[in-house]
Amino acid sequence: MQTAQRKSLMMLRWMTVASLALPVALFLVAAYVSYGATTEEADREIRRSLDVVHEHALKVFETIDRSLSEIDEIVRDLSDADIKAREQALHARLRQLSDALPQMKSAWVFDANGRPLVNSLVYPAPDTSFVDRDYFSAHVKTSIGTFIGTQLAPRPPYQGATFFSVSRRRPGDHGSFTGVIQASVLPDYFEHFYARIGRAPGSYFALRRYDGRVLARYPAAPDEAGPVANDIPAGAADTEQLVTETSPLDGIQRRVGYQRLADYPVYVSAGLATATIRDRWLGTISRHLIFGIPATALLVVFLMLARSRTEHFYVEAARRLEAEDALKHGQRMEALGQLTGGVAHDFNNLLTVIRASADLLRRPNLPDERRQRYIDAISDTVARASKLTSQLLAFARRQTLKPEVFDIGRSVVTLRDMTKTLVGSRIEVVTSVPDEPCYVNADAGQFETALINMAVNARDAMAGQGLLSIAVAPAADLPTPAAPHERPPLGYVAIAVKDTGVGIPQEQFSRIFEPFFTTKTIGQGTGLGLSQVFGFAKQSGGELGVVSEVGHGATFTLYLPRVAPADPQRGVDGHRAVPIGGEGMSVLVVEDNIDVGRSATEALAELGYRTTLVDNAQDALEELISSASRFDVVFTDVVMPGMTGLELAEEIRRLELNVPVVLASGYSHVLAQQGTHGFELLRKPYSIEELSRVLHKVVPVPLYRAPPVAPNTDLS
């Protein structure tokens, strides 16, 4: 009890300290955050104002520039004498132009000696020299384009507000100097505009020349402040960053941004006094003091309570995830056990046939007819085992495609009965194939798997009842036309599988081909069927399209490149029949499994081949480098320790040894992912006839490179 009381008192003590420290800490944090937010808001306000005054100044100077261009057009082809002769009419024209622009005080045309030829103020023009004015002297030596002068006071007898000039040179023949065209601009025009948009306390706007001299400013500088050569901070006008500066004209610290007018030597600036920014921040903080601190303190308390409950929730959730993972792991192990048991059962059945046939072959005085039957049983069983491993690899997406030329229409008709059995009697299956054969060069087994997957997908979409249509037809191009260099010469063959099911929502179109994506309930689908079809289509150079509307079924169309029919004189593998005998061909056999290597070399020797056996790729490479002319062909396993058979083949190609290579493999993830790189592939298990046929395929005419020697199977 006492321990519990001490803990309670300690908790109350800490809560008391926290009730004082927490508001102070929150206030400091809030003050810091608020100051940053207030400064950022002020910077955004300055940038917005800067954009406004920049746009305004740019339009004003462009208008004045156009006016100077208009004046230049008026007097361009006139000599000084012609201008003086037409002075009255030109004066009226300039006055009309000047009166139309409130920012323009007057417009002048000067001769090469600085004397006015015509102006918009008075007629006739005074006989006074203005050669000392900056807007005239700047153009005498060379053409500098548009010049913007400093603020000037009117020269007696003229009176009025100060002005700054915008002038340009009057070019003569061959670029000679004939005078100046000048417009007097009122700074008051800019300052009045700045006063209208700068109603917020502490606002600041200015228009400056490139050298920093002020042309217009709001608020106006004190009368006692003299001209400043340059009060723009170094580099500030060439960046988009805002700077904090103290003006030498009025001594006020401001946050200021600068921006140059395109094509003009003029900068505009906009700013806000730092005192104004600070006052805004203090106003915000005062509201925090009144309302923010108590609310924040309560919020922290509630957050701590929520954190406690959340931690408890996370603990429970973690326990639940561990339980779910354990359940999933158990389910995976159970599924793996079922798969392993099924494979073991099937292989044991096959091994039983092989074992029984082998035992019977050992019996003496066995009739030839029975001996041949047992041999055929062993051969057939090996073929069934090979087919089983192929199915397992296809299920695991690890089998490389074995393309062959076949008629799609005939394949669909062949699978029709199997499809009817697969989808059930309540689904009507209708097939439509063209009269003309439609040949493709693809893996026939993978095509059958793809067609079955689409049929199963359609069956599930129709809940076991409806109409399933399978139609085969030629297609000139894909729904999304392929590039001309990628389009097959004969077009495509389209296999459309249409159902009357529930359809597919539009938002799921981008995901239906993703592996493991399924809309079916748990245990009703894996999400791998359509991904297999999609992968087969892409790997075969085709495409898989889908058209669907919710409530009106779906149509999946598999497009495969159409090819010409195979040469009828070729064998079942698409190549012309070749002799089985070796005819003295020299073969370098590379096999890390000694038993497999010896059986291959002995079988080849029986057919008349000359063989050399090595158990690794490195030794094979040394044999070839030392005497490549000894061998007509290299027959190598793919999966070997160290350098693989595919790497050996690539090295032979790189070294240009001019020896063809045949690869042999039951399974290789490299081949499944990258293909054979153009080398011939023989799948394990293979018959000696298949091996001899593929060797003759890569070496059509036997080359007698060396005299016959006895088979070398000694690896010692």
Side-chain angles (χ1 to χ4, degrees):
M1 178 63 71
Q2 291 180 353
T3 303
Q5 290 177 350
R6 283 197 300 268
K7 289 183 179 180
S8 299
L9 291 174
M10 183 65 70
M11 183 179 296
L12 290 174
R13 188 177 299 114
W14 281 108
M15 290 181 65
T16 302
V17 174
S19 65
L20 296 176
L22 185 60
V24 174
L26 290 177
F27 171 75
L28 293 176
V29 173
Y32 177 80
V33 173
S34 177
Y35 184 79
T38 303
T39 303
E40 290 178 359
E41 179 59 32
D43 287 353
R44 287 193 292 269
E45 181 180 337
I46 293 170
R47 287 191 174 93
R48 289 194 297 267
S49 300
L50 186 61
D51 290 339
V52 172
V53 296
H54 175 270
E55 184 71 18
H56 173 263
L58 187 61
K59 289 182 179 178
V60 170
F61 279 98
E62 287 176 347
T63 303
I64 295 173
D65 220 12
R66 286 195 295 269
S67 300
L68 293 178
S69 299
E70 184 175 347
I71 297 172
D72 185 45
E73 287 293 329
I74 294 173
V75 302
R76 174 174 297 177
D77 298 326
L78 300 178
S79 65
D80 291 353
D82 293 336
I83 294 175
K84 292 299 292 183
R86 303 180 185 180
E87 181 180 0
Q88 186 173 4
L90 293 175
H91 163 73
R93 182 73 177 273
L94 294 185
R95 187 177 185 87
Q96 180 183 8
L97 183 64
S98 177
D99 291 344
L101 300 176
Q103 67 268 30
M104 187 184 296
K105 180 179 181 180
S106 61
W108 297 69
V109 179
F110 297 92
D111 63 12
N113 298 316
R115 295 187 178 276
L117 297 174
V118 62
N119 68 78
S120 63
L121 287 179
V122 295
Y123 169 79
D127 187 16
T128 305
S129 175
F130 291 82
V131 72
D132 59 328
R133 291 294 201 181
D134 59 353
Y135 56 77
F136 183 86
S137 60
H139 298 285
V140 173
K141 294 183 179 180
T142 183
S143 177
I144 61 172
T146 301
F147 173 79
I148 299 176
T150 60
Q151 280 199 28
L152 298 172
R155 174 169 290 177
Y158 302 105
Q159 298 178 352
T162 60
F163 65 93
F164 65 88
S165 61
V166 180
S167 60
R168 63 169 59 174
R169 197 181 203 204
R170 287 179 56 207
D173 295 338
H174 308 293
S176 61
F177 176 69
T178 61
V180 171
I181 301 172
Q182 182 262 351
S184 300
V185 183
L186 294 170
D188 290 348
Y189 176 80
F190 290 92
E191 292 170 355
H192 291 161
F193 175 75
Y194 296 158
R196 289 198 304 271
I197 66 173
R199 296 179 180 178
S203 296
Y204 166 78
F205 303 97
L207 178 69
R208 289 180 170 86
R209 295 201 322 166
Y210 64 94
D211 58 1
R213 291 187 178 273
V214 177
L215 302 178
R217 187 179 189 275
Y218 175 83
D223 294 337
E224 64 272 13
V228 178
N230 188 355
D231 67 342
I232 302 178
D238 298 323
T239 67
E240 296 182 356
Q241 300 295 325
L242 303 184
V243 296
T244 301
E245 63 180 28
T246 301
S247 173
L249 294 177
D250 54 18
I252 298 177
Q253 187 183 64
R254 296 182 177 90
R255 185 84 170 146
V256 183
Y258 294 88
Q259 191 170 356
R260 180 172 179 173
L261 270 65
D263 301 327
Y264 297 99
V266 177
Y267 291 94
V268 292
S269 58
L272 199 61
T274 55
T276 300
I277 300 175
R278 186 167 53 252
D279 291 342
R280 293 180 181 179
W281 171 64
L282 292 175
T284 303
I285 289 301
S286 63
R287 290 191 293 273
H288 275 287
L289 288 172
I290 297 173
F291 302 104
I293 293 179
T296 305
L298 289 175
L299 179 61
V300 170
V301 172
F302 289 140
L303 287 175
M304 293 179 65
L305 293 175
R307 178 182 176 183
S308 176
R309 294 181 63 86
T310 303
E311 288 179 349
H312 179 72
F313 170 76
Y314 285 160
V315 170
E316 293 297 324
R319 292 174 180 173
R320 185 161 49 250
L321 287 176
E322 290 178 359
E324 291 178 355
D325 288 341
L327 177 61
K328 291 179 180 178
H329 180 71
Q331 291 174 340
R332 286 194 296 268
M333 294 302 295
E334 181 181 358
L336 182 60
Q338 292 176 352
L339 176 62
T340 305
V343 172
H345 176 268
D346 290 344
F347 265 98
N348 282 333
N349 288 340
L350 298 175
L351 293 174
T352 300
V353 175
I354 295 174
R355 179 60 181 271
S357 299
D359 290 341
L360 291 172
L361 286 172
R362 292 192 181 98
R363 299 181 65 181
N365 303 322
L366 194 66
D368 291 341
E369 184 269 334
R370 293 182 62 187
R371 183 184 302 276
Q372 186 61 43
R373 186 166 70 244
Y374 296 147
I375 293 174
D376 292 342
I378 293 175
S379 178
D380 293 342
T381 304
V382 170
R384 290 167 56 193
S386 176
K387 184 177 181 180
L388 177 59
T389 56
S390 297
Q391 291 172 343
L392 291 173
L393 290 174
F395 174 78
R397 309 310 195 263
R398 290 293 188 271
Q399 179 159 311
T400 54
L401 297 183
K402 186 177 181 181
E404 59 181 289
V405 177
F406 66 95
D407 181 9
I408 285 286
R410 177 178 296 178
S411 181
V412 169
V413 172
T414 303
L415 291 173
R416 179 168 51 197
D417 293 338
M418 180 190 298
T419 304
K420 290 181 178 180
T421 303
L422 185 66
V423 300
S425 59
R426 300 178 63 192
I427 294 180
E428 181 182 357
V429 179
V430 177
T431 57
S432 174
V433 297
D435 295 333
E436 60 173 331
C438 294
Y439 292 98
V440 298
N441 187 20
D443 191 312
Q446 290 295 310
F447 169 73
E448 294 175 358
T449 302
L451 187 63
I452 290 173
N453 281 335
M454 288 192 291
V456 170
N457 185 72
R459 178 200 66 189
D460 296 340
M462 293 185 289
Q465 182 175 2
L467 174 63
L468 174 62
S469 301
I470 304 176
V472 178
D477 206 343
L478 300 174
T480 302
H485 66 278
E486 297 178 351
R487 187 181 302 120
L490 300 181
Y492 295 86
V493 179
I495 304 94
V497 179
K498 182 178 181 181
D499 63 66
T500 57
V502 296
I504 305 172
Q506 190 71 28
E507 62 272 11
Q508 293 183 1
F509 272 30
S510 61
R511 299 195 60 196
I512 56 178
F513 299 133
E514 294 180 4
F516 303 108
F517 176 77
T518 179
T519 58
K520 303 170 187 176
T521 59
I522 297 177
Q524 297 299 315
T526 63
L528 294 173
L530 291 180
S531 66
Q532 182 272 336
V533 182
F534 182 79
F536 167 70
K538 289 295 186 181
Q539 201 170 358
S540 301
E543 187 62 81
L544 179 61
V546 58
V547 177
S548 180
E549 184 178 351
V550 176
H552 295 82
T555 301
F556 288 86
T557 305
L558 174 61
Y559 295 89
L560 296 176
R562 189 176 183 182
V563 299
D567 189 344
Q569 299 299 322
R570 295 179 182 267
V572 294
D573 61 347
H575 304 283
R576 296 186 181 275
V578 296
I580 299 302
E583 301 178 359
M585 186 186 301
S586 178
V587 184
L588 176 59
V589 180
V590 188
E591 174 61 67
D592 62 315
N593 188 305
I594 302 303
D595 293 334
V596 175
R598 285 176 175 168
S599 66
T601 55
E602 290 172 359
L604 288 173
E606 287 293 327
L607 295 179
Y609 292 88
R610 293 181 289 108
T611 60
T612 301
L613 174 63
V614 294
D615 63 353
N616 63 82
Q618 195 61 44
D619 290 348
L621 203 56
E622 293 176 0
E623 290 275 356
L624 290 169
I625 293 175
S626 62
S627 179
S629 60
R630 289 174 52 200
F631 305 104
D632 297 301
V633 63
V634 175
F635 177 56
T636 176
D637 188 21
V638 173
V639 181
M640 294 186 295
M643 181 185 293
T644 67
L646 186 59
E647 292 170 344
L648 171 62
E650 291 284 4
E651 187 68 11
I652 293 173
R653 177 184 288 173
R654 187 185 68 82
L655 295 175
E656 298 182 353
L657 298 178
N658 298 323
V659 180
V661 179
V662 176
L663 304 175
S665 178
Y667 162 69
S668 169
H669 71 283
V670 176
L671 295 181
Q673 295 174 358
Q674 303 178 10
T676 62
H677 294 201
F679 298 104
E680 197 69 30
L681 174 66
L682 183 62
R683 301 181 187 277
K684 294 180 179 179
Y686 52 81
S687 67
I688 191 61
E689 290 82 2
E690 292 172 337
L691 174 56
S692 180
R693 186 177 294 110
V694 76
L695 293 178
H696 276 278
K697 177 183 177 182
V698 297
V699 187
V701 179
L703 303 177
Y704 298 93
R705 300 187 176 183
V709 295
N712 178 14
T713 59
D714 185 8
L715 295 175
S716 61

